[in-house]
């Protein structure tokens, strides 16, 4: 039995592969448009290709005895999705439909889906639970919510089960220092701040200072990428053992940090001072997103092992290398 990881050369996918290969045979499918081959653990089998390509999926599902698919492959930038919605619906929705069709055709029945806090839109609560209304405010969040709804429809009629994992802000790097967060171009807050502190950027732009938050900058819930990886494996094992089926879980630390607080923590850990430019709000950004992860804690025993200082220290070690 093997696990197919779509998007295993990306940031969260590669960290999950690194945890999975300790126990499972792993096949990675990635088209390398945003991923990097060197992030894939050498114990995994790598297939370069697109998950919207039915022939490649036929080949994988007939060559390997795949028990489950972990689906990370997606575009995931809120701002870009507002500017280029068709890219998001094509890559995140249409291509995923091809993958799901091929899974059903080949009798592969377990699916772990990378979803997002962006499905909630502007929440009407300080602490988001899975029962909080989903009302995404950007195409990225909508593209993920569409797949969530499709999964429920499939599980209703097919021998097919799923776990949806709604990540809050994935951050940090593997403790080994071997892999970490790498996007080209980079748009995420923590890597941008660390690159600036390493002298690779002139300054940092803070997008919006008039949000209804304590210091006026956006608040997010940052969760260590290894904690996310472990939640995938627990979800898979929970489904395979019959403990859970067809679930949606939030994954966050339960604590919110503002953009200013993140910059300050990066300054403390690096021992360097940042140059900040206050800029306009970025399109599609809600003021605050903080998760309750109580449900996955109660049902699968998952809880985050890493706090913000460890997240930024691991990221600093990776970026410094
Ligand atoms: N920010 C800045 N300056 C920068 C970069 C970011 O001020 O140079 C701000 C953003 O405006 C936002 C916060 O820092 O308020 C975090 O921004 P990121 O781009 O790091 O992350 P997002 O919250 O936009 O999005 C991330 C993932 C999404 C996911 C979301 C869920 O990229 O895929 O978390 O919370 F949906």
């Amino acid at each position: 039995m093997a696990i197919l990881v779509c998007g295993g050369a990306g940031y969260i996918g590669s960290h999950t592969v690194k945890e999975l290969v300790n126990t499972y045979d792993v096949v990675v499918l990635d088209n390398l448009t945003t991923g990097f081959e060197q992030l894939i653990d050498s114990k995994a089998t790598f297939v370069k290709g697109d998950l919207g390509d039915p022939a490649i999926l036929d080949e994988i599902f007939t060559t390997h005895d795949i028990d489950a698919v972990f689906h990370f492959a997606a575009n995931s930038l809120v701002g870009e999705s507002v500017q280029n919605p068709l890219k998001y619906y094509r890559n995140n929705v249409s291509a995923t439909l091809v993958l799901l069709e091929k899974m059903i055709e080949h009798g592969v029945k377990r699916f772990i889906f990378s979803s997002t806090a962006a499905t909630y839109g502007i929440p009407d609560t300080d602490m988001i639970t899975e029962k909080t209304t989903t009302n995404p405010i950007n195409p990225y969040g909508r593209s993920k919510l569409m797949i969530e709804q499709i999964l429920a429809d499939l599980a209703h009629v097919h021998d097919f089960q799923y776990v949806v994992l709604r990540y809050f802000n994935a951050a940090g790097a593997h403790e080994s220092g071997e892999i970490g967060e790498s996007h080209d171009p980079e748009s995420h807050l923590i890597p941008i701040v660390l690159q600036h502190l390493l002298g690779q950027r002139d300054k940092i732009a803070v997008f919006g200072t008039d949000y209804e938050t304590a210091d006026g900058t956006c608040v997010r819930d940052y969760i260590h990428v290894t904690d996310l990886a472990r939640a995938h494996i627990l979800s898979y094992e929970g489904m395979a053992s019959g403990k859970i089926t067809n679930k949606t879980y939030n994954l966050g630390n339960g604590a919110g940090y503002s953009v200013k607080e993140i910059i300050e923590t990066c300054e403390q850990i690096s021992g360097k001072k940042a140059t900040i430019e206050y800029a306009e709000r970025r399109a599609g950004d809600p003021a605050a997103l903080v998760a309750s992860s109580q449900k996955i804690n109660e049902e699968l025993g998952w809880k985050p092992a890493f706090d913000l200082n460890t997240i930024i220290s691991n990221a600093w070690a990776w970026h410094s290398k």
Side-chain angles (χ1 to χ4, degrees), residues 11 14-15 18 38-40 173-174 176-181 318:
Y11 172 43
S14 63
H15 284 76
K18 205 167 181 55
Q38 63 270 28
L39 294 181
I40 305 171
H174 199 268
S176 65
E178 288 168 15
I179 55 174
E181 185 167 11
W318 154 256

Side-chain angles (χ1 to χ4, degrees), residues 69-217:
V69 176
F70 289 27
H71 179 29
F72 298 91
N75 295 115
S76 62
L77 302 177
V78 168
E80 183 190 52
S81 80
V82 175
Q83 302 307 324
N84 192 355
L86 280 176
K87 176 175 177 180
Y88 278 70
Y89 294 120
R90 189 190 322 110
N91 291 341
N92 295 4
V93 182
S94 300
T96 301
L97 291 184
V98 178
L99 172 64
L100 290 168
E101 275 166 1
K102 284 294 166 191
M103 284 182 67
I104 304 275
E105 189 182 317
H106 289 271
V108 180
K109 62 181 186 192
R110 297 193 178 101
F111 191 71
I112 316 267
F113 181 56
S114 300
S115 189
T116 170
T119 54
Y120 293 109
I122 299 173
D124 52 8
T125 171
D126 291 341
M127 190 56 91
I128 300 172
T129 74
E130 295 79 358
K131 288 190 176 143
T132 301
T133 307
T134 48
N135 188 14
I137 60 164
N138 49 60
Y140 170 60
R142 277 190 279 278
S143 73
K144 290 288 182 175
L145 188 59
M146 284 175 194
I147 295 297
E148 290 193 15
Q149 291 164 336
I150 290 165
L151 293 176
D153 290 340
L154 294 183
H156 196 59
V157 289
H158 295 289
D159 182 15
F160 177 88
Q161 52 180 183
Y162 67 86
V163 174
V164 164
L165 297 174
R166 290 182 181 150
Y167 315 152
F168 283 62
N169 286 56
H174 199 268
E175 279 178 297
S176 65
E178 288 168 15
I179 55 174
E181 185 167 11
S182 190
H183 304 104
D184 187 16
E186 189 52 78
S187 68
H188 292 85
L189 179 64
I190 292 176
I192 282 181
V193 176
L194 298 181
Q195 286 172 357
H196 165 63
L197 294 171
L198 282 166
Q200 297 163 6
R201 291 172 185 269
D202 292 348
K203 59 192 173 206
I204 309 161
V206 171
F207 299 135
T209 52
D210 57 351
Y211 284 98
E212 285 186 16
T213 58
D215 65 19
T217 65

